[in-house]
Structures are given as C-alpha cells and as structure tokens.
Amino acid sequence: MSKRRMFFKMITASLLRRRSRMLIALLSIAVGATILAGLVTVYVDVPRQMAASFRSYGANMLLMPGEKKALNRESTDEALSLISREKLQGASPYRYISAEFMGNQTGEGKYSSQLKFMTAGTSFDEVQKTSPYFAVEGRYPEAPREALVGKNVAATVGVKPGGNVRLAYDRVKTVAAGQTQRELQGSAPGYYDAEVGATVLLNEDGTIAAVAMDLSRQTPFRVAGLTTDSFTDTYGVAHAESFTDQFIGKQIPLTMSASADDLDEYIDAVSGATASCKAVVDAVNAASETGTHSAGQQITDTERAAMSFTVVGILETGGEEEDYIYLSQRDMEDLTDERDVYDVVELSVSGSSEELSALAGEINEKTGLEARLVKRVTKSEAGVLGKLQALVFLVTLVVLVLTMISVSTTMTAVVSERRKEIGLRKALGASDGSIRVEFLGEGLFLGLLGGVVGAVLGYVFALVVSRRVFGSDLQFNFLLVPATILVSMLVSALSCLIPVKRAVAIDPALVLKGE
Amino acid sequence: MLFRMIKGALLRQKSKMLLIALTIALGASLSTSMINVMLDVRDKVQEEMKAFGANIIVKPNDSTLLGDMYAIEDEGSAFLKQSWLKEEELGKIKEIFWTFQIRNFAPFLNVSAETDTGRPVQLVGTWFNHHLSLATGEELDAGVKDLRSWWDLTKGEWIDESEPDALNQVMLGKDLAGELGLTEGDTLTLNGRAASRTVTVRAVFDSGEDADAQIWMPLDLAQALSGLEGCVGTVEVSAITEPDNELSLRAARNPGGLSAKEWDQWYCTAYVSAICYQITEVMSNSTAGAVRQVAEGEGAILEKTELLMIMITALSLVGVALGISNLVTASVMERAQEIGLLKAIGAKDKAVTGVIMAEILITALFGMAVGYFMGLGFAEFIGRQVFAASIDIKPIVIPIVAAAISLVTVAGSLPAIRMILKTDPAVVLHGSKA
C-alpha cells in the first residue's frame, strides 16, 4: 500500500468511523460558510439595491436645453443612450405653459376668468417612475383629453374627479410677411359697453392678409341654442377663425349678410351671433393704418386655442406640484400646436454621486444639452447611503468574526477528544509531522465540503434577502464561491492544528493516562 | 452530593467548559448586539434622513395660491396682509404634544427688492441658527443650517445669528452672485418696499435649486426691508414620524370623522398627519401638510433597511443556534465514557441527565452574562462608528437572549445525552462508537 493511499484511507476511515462527530464539525463549518457567503453577497449587492430604493425620492438629474441645442425627443434619446439601461429608472419630459382657466362646466363655454395656471404636458407612465411619491386621488390620465389637477388648483376652481376644466392658451405664431404689408387697427362698440378691437394686415393690393381680434376687452355674453348641446358666447363665435377667415382676400369695407351670397365682399354672419359678428366687421372697417411690415419681416401673432379636459385625478404632493395642471404630451401638443418641444426632462438614475456627476458631464459634452444634478437628492442620498453601507459592513464584520471563532471552537472540541488517539499513535512511533499532516488533511477536507455547502446555502440566503427586501434579483459574484471555500478550509485547518499541536507537544504517556 | 459533582466537573474539565462558555458568550454577544441594533436602526437611519430636508410645510390658510398665481409682488396689499403666519407663534411648534419628534424648523419670508442699479432681486428671510428659549424652559437653535444640508458654500461661512452684525449680512446664490459680480466681503445696497439697507455678503452658496438666484438673509432683515414686521410666509418643519397606516390616512382626510378612541390613538401617535394637525392647532390661520417626496422616500428606505437588518439578524441567530448546539453535542459525546461509567455503577438515567445538564447550563449562564456585556460593547461600537451615536439599549433583549440561548443549549445537549444513555454501557465503555 502506497503511502498516499494509506493517508487517504486513514482520513476517510476516521471520517466514516466517527460519523456523528464529523457531521457536527461539518455542520458547524457549513453554517460558518453560509453566513460568510450570504452576508458578503448581501454586503456587496446592497449599495446597488439601496440606490434603486433611493429613487423613491424622485428625479435626481434634469436635462435642459443647451445653448445651441433644443430639447426634444431626438436629443433626449441621444442623452439617454449614454445612461446604461439598468441604471435609468425613468425619464419624464415636461413642457410647461401658462394656461388660462376658462370654466369648469361641461361643454364649450368660452369666457375668460383671468385665472392662469401653470400647465405641464408630460408622459404619465414615466412620471410614475420618476416621481413615485405622487399621490393621486382618482387615477392618472390614460385617454386623450384627460387631466390630472393639483390639489390647490382643484380647491381654487372647485373641481373633483369626473369634473371638467377648460383651458385656453395663446399660441404664438411667427410668420414671415411675404410682401410688404400695412397694419391697421380699429375698434367698434359691442354689447354691454364691450369694445371689439381688431388688427388687420393689408397686402400691397389692398386685400386683407390676416385678421386678429383683441380678446382682452370682451365681456362674457352667452346665448343658448347655438349648438345643440351647449352654450357659446357670441363674441367667441365672432372672434373665431372660422368667421374671420372669410375676410381674407377681400377688401375693406366689408359688407355683412345674413344669408349666403355670391358677392365677393359679402360676409356670412354666424346665425344667432349676428350682432357680435356685425361688431367685428365694424371694428375691421373702422381700422386705420398704424404701421407697415416690409417683405420678409417676421411677424408674431397670437391665436387663442381652448380645449376641455376631463379631470380624472387630483394630485397631492405637499409641494408646488399641487399648483399645477398636468396633461398628456399629445394633448399639450394639440393645445399649443407645437410638436416635440420639451422644457425639461426629469431623470431618475441610480448611482453614486460621483457616477452621476461624471454622467452629467458626459451628457453636457456629447449632446450639447445641459444636464444638472438635483443636489438636494444626490447629495443627501450619498450621505445616507454611505451610512447604510457602513452599517451593513460593520454588522457583517462582527457576525463573521464571531461565527469564525465559534466554528473553530467546535472544531477544537471535536479534535481535542482525540488526544488519546494522538498519544497512542505517538507511542507507536508516529512522527509529530505525520500526525499534524493527517489532521490538517482532515481539516482541509471538512473545510472543502462545508465551504461548498455553505456557498450554495449562502447564495440562497442572499437571494431570499434580495427578493424579500428589494424585490429584485441578485447579482451574484462568482468569485465568492472559491473565496468562501478557501476561508472555510483555512479556518477549519487552523482550528484543527491548535489542539493537535498541544496534544503532540505533551508526553504520550500523560495523554494516554488522561491527565 | 450533586453540587459537589457539578463543582468537580466544572473545575476538572476547566478547558472544555471554558470552550462551551466561550462559544455561548460569543453567541450571546452576537444576538445581543444584533437585536439591539435591529431594534434601534429605524431611529438611527431616520436621524440620518433629515439630510433630505423638512417633511412638513406650514402655510397660511388660503393665501398661497393667489400670491403664486398672479405673481403678486406687492406684499403690502391689504388682502395679503391678513394671510401671514405670526413670527411670535413659531416657538409654539416646539411646545406641541410631539415636541420631541420635532427635529428642527425654520420660517421663510419671500419678498422682493431692487439693487442700486434697479435690478429686481428675490429675497428670502429665514433663521440660520436662531436661538430659542421656550416657555417650557427648553433651549434650542433652529434654522436652515441643518435643513439645507445639501448646500455647498463656495465662498464664506453660514451666517451666525449669535454675532451682533448678523443682521447686516446676506448669503448670495451662486447664479446671482455671478451676475452681480459680488463675492464674500462685498457690500450691496438693497432697496425694499419699506426701507433700504447696505448689507455685506457673508457667503456664496451652490444649492442646485432656484435658491441659486436668490439672496438669503436673516428674517428680521427681510421683514425690515419689506415692512412686514412679525410676518412669516411659510415654515418648514423636520419631524420624526411613524409610517402612515390606514387610520392615519383616514385621519389626514377628515380628522372629524374618527371615533373618540380612534382619535386618541391617532392624536397620540407620531403620524405625520397628527403632527400637522397639532401644528395647525398652535399656529393661528395656518395649514400644515406633509411633503410627500420626503415622507415617502423616508418610509421606503426605512422599511428596506429594517427588513434587511431583520434578515441579517435572523441569519446570525440561526448561525448562533447551530454553533452552540453543535458544540454542546460534541462536548456531550466526548463524555460518553464518563456517562457510561456512571450508568455502569448504577446511576439512574434521570440523575445522569440532571448532572450533565446542570453543568452545561451553569456554564451557559456564565457565558451568557459575559456575552451580554460583550454584545453591548459591539452594539456601541457599531453605533459609534456608523451613526456617531449610541445604540439605544433595550432591556427586553435580556430575557429574549437568555431564553433563546438556554433553549438552544438544552436542545443541543439533551438528544446527545439520551443517545448515549440508550446505548449499552459496555459498548460505550469499550470505546466503539455508535
């Protein structure tokens, strides 16, 4: 029998014969290894997982238009492509306008309230990711023409979920004058001391190029029955483009007619709003020249658009969002008639504050947009996250040290029991070295077995923690498997050697006698 | 006789018993420290969370929207005059039922003024480290120094209100400072609605928010410039709160709808809605609301941290239990010959079990006593290192740890003793192991 075979036979025989003791030792090492593998995995993975939880504080980065770069879908996508997918928790684009509140009754009511609210167009799917703290009574808008209304706004205008808000926005249009045009302004009296104002642009040949009505001086005056199911105020009708568009191409003075006519200069009045239509025509006819626009000059013109929205939710945040009205991006585009324009994009990105500053710098440089960190969130997060990491680190350290000592005491107890065996072998002529090597082998073997079992159980523990606490999957570091096995072999071998060394040092006679 | 036997065993087998005591001490210290840390982690982490700023905002009733909406800058209009909070009532915030839950608070007064060149600037009057002596005899420094922990001062220092010339100092947001070309030590003249003052720039700050375009100054200075003596616009309060539950949410919507019993329970729990309610009770003409961004984020983090600590504690307790019972089993098995001998000379099973159990339990008791204090040491170490504060020691941990460890010790030794007792003494004494 070769020496090596004898060595293995001795170890396996010893392990088998002393099943119950070895089982105890093995169990103890496995428990130690489980704690080691489990806690270290949790410790390594906690910052990533916690950082994701911190995103419940909301956006930590803002994208804004750069000096030479507009913020829109394309430039936002360009910036987002620089952020790794798993780090980006959400990105909500916002377009802000100041819209005038036009009433909250159902229908087409069109009167000015002088009450203006900040109105935002956004993507509600993304808002729920970047601002998880938004509390909505009712629900988020899903269909077109639905709105989410801030709590303060709702209280001011007295609207509840299911109610209506009508919003008006003065679209600003820039047109280049195709030819030299003359600008005329005039006014005429209307109902109830109202004054109807008109601004008219005339082409070189004297035909009307454009008409803009001054809405600020109108008085709400509504008549029933204009449309089948609603109220409309007569000036609203008379001021509408559908009416004034007939003026274009005609010459001043205009003539009113109540019925369709084939005469060029005749204007069809809107039935039911004849008096108001007449006042508008009078104002245009009374217009006198105030200036000229030369060809190619940019002219801005405002055009009022109004839309009704069903309120489906009331927003409560405790912050300034309660003073806002939120619309979907599509509705905002329809209201403003401006496509693909963002004022700001709120990003929620997980990562340390250094990573975030580096990322912001990269976005600034590569896309020309301005990326800014929300310091209140990033800085505070870094502080608290640091503490939590330190907590888990120290706890892990204390648990590991205590567990390893406990493993080695058990191993020591198991080995001490075999002092007599050691004495006997020594008496039979075994060298100290050979005894040590044999016990070392036994210890290493137990460590290996316990380490493998522990690495598996530790992974299971970390997985359970990850799922239960953070509700996400684990990123397992496979280097940890050999590390766990190595540490358990080391601990078990060391704790075997100490009692063996002591036993070997004593005279075999004393050991055998049991002193 | 029993006593002598136990004493003998303990003394004779010193090293073996020492090993048991050591392991039990380690186990006890681990469980003591982990349970203590786990029970206190919520408070400690919440203390850290104050970095995120105030979680309650107090505003005057019904005024806020109008001011914001119309961008009314004319603070003197009679209508708005009625809707300020009163500065003299601020101290009462610290005198409500939940006074100890109030960590800090600061008043704000937003007004406007013009510089010498006629450029309009936004001013924010507030407390920096305002010293308060309350009617209750308590003294505290309240102010934004802690409530704006994320600010970086690019130049200079925070205004110290205990200095006599603090009333002529301001802090400039970095954007405004850049635009006006001012830095620490420079002076500028502010023309307010009611008065003009020449002030010194004490610091330039980088807040990453709107404040970067504002001038922050002591409340008294802002009041003097605008002629709004004694008036406060909003108050930010940072409070330690309990997480919301069904009751508190219901109460927040309508405190009047609670039954008397529910009311008591709600009022006497530190829910954010209860604290808000109590603040509105002491501040006249006010409404208080939770800042959901801070409250929700805090709740989420706290819950996760606590759950994480519970899991880690559970794992280490399982480890402790297995470690102790393992060792005890091993040490009982080691004494198989002794047990066999006792049985061979006629000892009853009960007596043998009693002697050995008593030995082990007495050893365990020593281990536990030592371990408990070691555990307090570990908990203190963790608290100091991580949070720079002691972990609160809960007496309830003592019976829990004592009961758990005794149970584990008994569970580890009894089956082993039984097994040996069942075996024929001859086999045991012969040394062939089962």
Side-chain angles (χ1 to χ4, degrees), chain A residues 216-353:
Chain A
S216 61
R217 280 173 288 177
Q218 67 175 335
T219 314
F221 181 76
R222 294 182 284 148
V223 289
L226 250 186
T227 56
T228 49
D229 60 348
S230 63
F231 292 102
T232 301
D233 92 276
T234 54
Y235 287 114
V237 171
H239 286 163
E241 276 178 29
S242 57
F243 178 65
T244 55
D245 275 357
Q246 325 176 48
F247 300 2
I248 290 169
K250 292 173 183 167
Q251 289 198 331
I252 295 176
L254 302 163
T255 320
M256 274 268 295
S257 156
S259 61
D261 222 303
D262 55 359
L263 278 169
D264 276 357
E265 309 307 322
Y266 278 82
I267 299 298
D268 284 338
V270 179
S271 109
T274 318
S276 299
C277 292
K278 173 110 179 32
V280 170
V281 171
D282 288 348
V284 171
N285 287 340
S288 58
E289 190 164 325
T290 52
T292 49
H293 297 287
S294 51
Q297 190 184 351
Q298 298 274 307
I299 309 165
T300 57
D301 187 13
T302 61
E303 169 195 277
R304 168 153 290 214
M307 283 162 69
S308 282
F309 298 92
T310 310
V311 175
V312 293
I314 307 290
L315 176 65
E316 195 183 335
T317 65
E320 61 179 7
E321 296 91 345
E322 293 184 352
D323 299 337
Y324 288 19
I325 296 173
Y326 290 83
L327 308 176
S328 73
Q329 269 179 301
R330 269 302 285 282
D331 288 349
M332 179 56 91
E333 287 179 348
D334 288 348
L335 184 62
T336 57
D337 199 28
E338 289 170 47
R339 312 280 145 187
D340 203 21
V341 180
Y342 303 159
D343 287 323
V344 65
V345 178
E346 289 189 357
L347 302 181
S348 180
V349 187
S350 48
S352 67
S353 52

Side-chain angles (χ1 to χ4, degrees), chain A residues 57 115 156 317 375 379 409, chain B residues 23 65 70 152 206 292-293:
Chain A
Y57 271 109
L115 212 54
T156 310
T317 65
K375 266 183 105 169
K379 220 181 156 201
T409 54
Chain B
T23 304
L65 246 187
Y70 295 119
D152 283 322
D206 175 5
R292 293 193 61 90
Q293 183 175 13

Side-chain angles (χ1 to χ4, degrees), chain A residues 20-21 24 27-28 31 35 39 42 46 50 53-54 56-57 114-117 132-133 135 152 156 316-318 323 375-377 379-381 384 387-388 390-392 394-395 398-399 402 405-406 409-410 413-414 417 461 464-465 468-470, chain B residues 19 22-23 26 29-30 34 41 45 48-49 51-52 65 68-70 149-152 206-209 290-294 296-298 300-301 304-305 307-308 311-312 315-316 319 322-323 326-327 329-330 333-334 378 381-382 385-386 433:
Chain A
S20 49
R21 271 95 174 147
I24 287 171
L27 188 63
S28 147
V31 167
I35 292 179
L39 285 192
V42 168
V46 150
M50 269 292 183
S53 314
F54 267 96
S56 51
Y57 271 109
Q114 303 280 311
L115 212 54
K116 288 201 167 182
F117 293 108
Y133 54 90
N152 292 342
T156 310
E316 195 183 335
T317 65
D323 299 337
K375 266 183 105 169
R376 171 187 185 145
V377 175
K379 220 181 156 201
S380 310
E381 182 178 320
V384 177
K387 295 269 166 163
L388 287 181
L391 172 70
V392 178
L394 267 190
V395 163
V398 168
V399 173
L402 296 189
I405 296 178
S406 159
T409 54
T410 306
V414 171
E417 194 194 347
F461 168 78
V464 169
V465 168
R468 288 289 300 274
V469 178
F470 300 105
Chain B
L19 215 54
L22 176 66
T23 304
L26 287 175
S29 67
L30 189 56
M34 289 303 293
V41 78
V45 174
E48 295 298 324
M49 292 289 183
F52 283 93
L65 246 187
D68 294 349
M69 254 164 24
Y70 295 119
S149 55
W150 60 92
W151 281 18
D152 283 322
D206 175 5
S207 71
E209 309 173 344
V291 181
R292 293 193 61 90
Q293 183 175 13
V294 176
E296 290 262 305
E298 200 169 289
I301 305 294
K304 301 237 149 99
T305 311
L307 204 53
L308 180 69
M311 296 286 234
I312 294 179
L315 179 70
S316 39
L322 285 173
N326 247 336
L327 180 75
T329 309
M333 286 180 139
E334 195 184 335
F378 282 125
F381 172 69
I382 291 172
Q385 289 295 313
V386 180
K433 272 118 200 182

